[in-house]
Amino acid sequence: MAPGFVSRRLNLENFPSVNSRPNVILPGREVRRADRSGPGRGCGAGLGSSRVPRGPLAPAVCTPCLPLHHAYPTQGMAAADDSLLDNPRTFSRRLPAQASRQANATKRKYQASSEAPPVKRRNETSFLPAKKTSVKETQRTFEGNTQKAFSAKKHSVSTSDGNQGERPCVKTSSLFKNNPDIPELHRSVVKQVQEKVFTSAPFHELGLHPHLVSIRCVLFFGWPSVQKQSIPVLLEGRDALVRSQTGSGKTLAYCIPVVQSLQAMKSKIQILQEIQRLRKVK
Ligand SMILES: Nc1ncnc2c1ncn2[C@@H]1O[C@H](COP(=O)(O)OP(=O)(O)OP(=O)(O)O)[C@@H](O)[C@H]1O
């Protein structure tokens, strides 16, 4: 730390509130000499070795150089803090408004009772992980409010013959974890449909355009049965609702009829050219 900075921060000659006190003797050079003893020795140590008396007046000397204490905390500074508490009036003159209010509160507390301040009570549950705490609190609150013995994992249900039995609770969302009235849904058993995906029927039977046939829309292991059933219907211009398992070829089942109908269309330009050709022939 630069010596110039220290002398600038510790020169208290411009502080009339300090220098007006007759028993506070702190020339700037005294503090500068103390600071030369080492960077780890703050004003507290310097004050102890100088002719400035220690005790209640020491904080008045130390307060303008608080940044130094924060940078180099020493034992002398701890002693100064104790004396600050002993003499909050002196402390309040040199610290900002917030520290002043704190010192006044400490003073009032000590004046009210000569005992030491009570030790801050620690809430042990606050040190637990948040999840554990919330589960404990939830269970305790639930038991206290409803007077019901409820377990999140098991609850009793009445069966059809009237017996009360316990069964493990179905895993549900955490939103409904503590809801004992989860309704039982009776779902019908879904039968798996076994369908033949490919057929061995020839592709050219459909009467498709030669371009489409040349694409050879037939897999080496057969032609998709969904296409065999749906393409003829769609080529007739009828509607079809197709349901088949994924990857069975539904896309081409509607695309092939679309392309087939597009290729069967003749453009208007071609029609006009045909008409002109016929007129010339006549
Ligand atoms: N006639 C065919 N000839 C050759 N390959 C085909 C034929 N039909 C379908 N495929 C191929 O089979 C694969 C699956 O077809 P597609 O994706 O059309 O099935 P999908 O039933 O529409 O699937 P999804 O249900 O996921 O939509 C594709 O790679 C497609 O190219």
Side-chain angles (χ1 to χ4, degrees):
M1 182 176 296
F5 171 75
V6 173
S7 62
R8 190 168 61 249
R9 297 306 300 262
L10 298 181
N11 190 0
L12 303 179
E13 289 172 354
N14 295 328
F15 286 81
S17 60
V18 174
N19 292 328
S20 62
R21 295 177 67 89
N23 53 353
V24 175
I25 307 166
L26 186 67
R29 56 189 168 83
E30 289 288 338
V31 181
R32 281 199 296 272
R33 192 203 312 157
D35 190 72
R36 277 197 296 270
S37 58
R41 296 167 68 85
C43 285
L47 290 170
S49 60
S50 68
R51 55 195 167 100
V52 177
R54 300 191 65 156
L57 293 177
V61 176
C62 292
T63 45
C65 53
L66 274 177
L68 282 181
H69 294 309
H70 288 297
Y72 304 108
T74 59
Q75 195 175 355
M77 185 57 205
D81 285 339
D82 292 342
S83 59
L84 279 176
L85 293 178
D86 291 341
N87 193 1
R89 183 164 159 258
T90 310
F91 180 51
S92 63
R93 285 185 184 176
R94 273 86 190 177
L95 286 185
Q98 187 179 359
S100 172
R101 283 196 297 273
Q102 191 176 356
N104 286 333
T106 309
K107 179 186 173 185
R108 282 196 298 273
K109 199 185 294 180
Y110 283 177
Q111 283 176 351
S113 65
S114 59
E115 298 176 359
V119 181
K120 189 178 179 184
R121 212 184 306 163
R122 287 186 175 183
N123 187 8
E124 292 183 0
T125 55
S126 64
F127 294 98
L128 291 172
K131 194 176 179 183
K132 287 185 179 177
T133 306
S134 62
V135 169
K136 274 190 175 181
E137 291 295 327
T138 306
Q139 286 179 351
R140 203 179 306 145
T141 309
F142 188 84
E143 288 171 6
N145 290 342
T146 61
Q147 302 293 328
K148 280 183 182 177
F150 173 74
S151 168
K153 289 189 175 178
K154 288 183 176 181
H155 66 273
S156 58
V157 291
S158 58
T159 55
S160 57
D161 52 1
N163 294 332
Q164 296 281 331
E166 278 199 348
R167 64 163 178 79
C169 185
V170 180
K171 285 259 180 186
T172 55
S173 167
S174 60
L175 287 173
F176 308 103
K177 195 168 59 179
N178 293 326
N179 183 8
D181 303 323
I182 298 174
E184 273 197 26
L185 298 176
H186 300 283
R187 298 178 213 143
S188 58
V189 180
V190 179
K191 276 189 178 179
Q192 194 174 5
V193 178
Q194 300 286 339
E195 62 179 6
K196 197 176 178 183
V197 179
F198 299 101
T199 177
S200 58
F203 193 66
H204 57 82
E205 282 183 0
L206 294 174
L208 296 174
H209 195 276
H211 290 168
L212 280 175
V213 177
S214 64
I215 294 173
R216 297 175 63 182
C217 292
V218 180
L219 299 171
F220 65 92
F221 40 77
W223 187 39
S225 59
V226 66
Q227 294 174 8
K228 181 181 179 288
Q229 296 175 37
S230 60
I231 285 176
V233 176
L234 293 174
L235 285 176
E236 291 175 14
R238 293 156 56 194
D239 297 328
L241 179 65
V242 179
R243 187 182 70 171
S244 178
Q245 63 191 55
T246 183
S248 58
K250 292 186 292 292
T251 307
L252 281 183
Y254 78 86
C255 282
I256 287 175
V258 169
V259 174
Q260 169 70 16
S261 60
L262 287 175
Q263 287 186 331
M265 291 172 64
K266 284 188 177 179
S267 66
K268 289 182 178 177
I269 298 174
Q270 282 180 336
I271 294 173
L272 286 174
Q273 287 175 349
E274 190 75 17
I275 293 171
Q276 288 174 358
R277 190 181 62 83
L278 291 173
R279 281 180 184 171
K280 284 179 184 176
V281 171
K282 288 180 182 178

